[in-house]
Amino acid sequence: KIINEIKLNTSKIKNEINVLTLTATPIPRTLNMSLGGLRDLSIIATSPENRMPIKTYVSNWKKSVIKDACDREINRGGQVFFLHNRVHDINIIYNELKELMPAYSIKIAHAQMSSAQLEKIILEFYNKKFNILLSTTIIENGIDISNANTILVNKSDKFGLSQLHQIRGRVGRSDKQ
């Protein structure tokens, strides 16, 4: 009898409450709840007007590919994200990139920096003060820099598919491809 009263009370509550959940990527729990009939799921399947599709390429570490991708983006007036998700050797990657592309200005951003220093670097990148942001996955959430339409992900095999999809969402946020 108590269980029936609880079911009756929860069904009354459920009918009076509307829940709106917004997700940038298909989160398994949300998808499971929608398939189970616990939640409705709406999908926005059309890109914003004038947005160009993102081209994705997979390659081994090749200096020529890295340089060509950076040259192409920077020569069009854009900027580049270079993601390397290990703080302990990010300076080694920085030195390799500086040696490969000495004419470009490169700065590092990661979560072990002070918040003031990190904010300063992100704002400088946003204001186009330098060409390449070498960072960890700290950029995957909330950074919207429409001028940066190229992202190079070092050791992408170390990421999950949903995380790569989220990272990929940092580029292609304007009408430039």
Side-chain angles (χ1 to χ4, degrees):
K1 184 175 179 182
I2 293 174
I3 293 174
N4 287 337
E5 287 178 21
I6 291 171
K7 285 183 181 177
L8 184 62
N9 289 336
T10 57
S11 65
K12 284 181 183 176
I13 292 171
K14 183 181 174 189
N15 290 334
E16 296 173 10
I17 296 175
N18 292 317
V19 177
L20 174 63
T21 303
L22 300 172
T23 62
T25 56
I27 299 170
R29 188 179 78 198
T30 304
L31 182 59
N32 183 42
M33 291 175 82
S34 71
L35 293 173
L38 298 173
R39 281 193 177 166
D40 291 332
L41 182 67
S42 298
I43 297 174
I44 301 171
T46 56
S47 299
E49 194 173 318
N50 297 325
R51 179 148 320 158
M52 301 294 290
I54 299 169
K55 294 180 180 179
T56 303
Y57 302 95
V58 178
S59 171
N60 290 325
W61 180 278
K62 292 181 187 168
K63 290 181 179 183
S64 62
V65 171
I66 294 167
K67 184 163 180 4
D68 289 347
C70 292
D71 285 344
R72 190 170 24 261
E73 181 67 21
I74 293 167
N75 287 336
R76 75 148 191 91
Q79 295 165 283
V80 176
F81 288 114
F82 192 103
L83 194 142
H84 177 77
N85 202 34
R86 293 193 324 251
V87 175
H88 71 276
D89 62 353
I90 200 165
N91 287 320
I92 294 169
I93 300 301
Y94 173 83
N95 291 332
E96 285 187 42
L97 294 176
K98 280 305 284 180
E99 183 181 316
L100 181 64
M101 301 171 289
Y104 298 145
S105 55
I106 304 169
K107 291 203 177 181
I108 297 173
H110 57 76
Q112 292 182 13
M113 303 171 100
S114 71
S115 59
Q117 186 181 17
L118 185 59
E119 181 180 16
K120 180 180 182 261
I121 289 171
I122 297 300
L123 285 173
E124 286 177 358
F125 191 60
Y126 180 80
N127 290 316
K128 304 174 188 164
K129 303 283 187 201
F130 61 96
N131 307 110
I132 300 171
L133 179 64
L134 170 59
S135 72
T136 59
T137 55
I138 195 165
I139 64 164
E140 80 180 308
N141 294 313
I143 293 190
D144 185 6
I145 299 178
S146 60
N147 197 48
N149 282 322
T150 297
I151 185 167
L152 298 159
V153 180
N154 189 26
K155 300 194 181 289
S156 62
D157 59 317
K158 304 296 183 200
F159 297 95
L161 189 57
S162 64
Q163 190 174 24
L164 285 171
H165 184 70
Q166 183 73 19
I167 291 166
R168 185 176 178 251
R170 297 305 95 212
V171 295
R173 303 179 72 80
S174 73
D175 60 349
K176 298 178 182 95
Q177 192 169 45

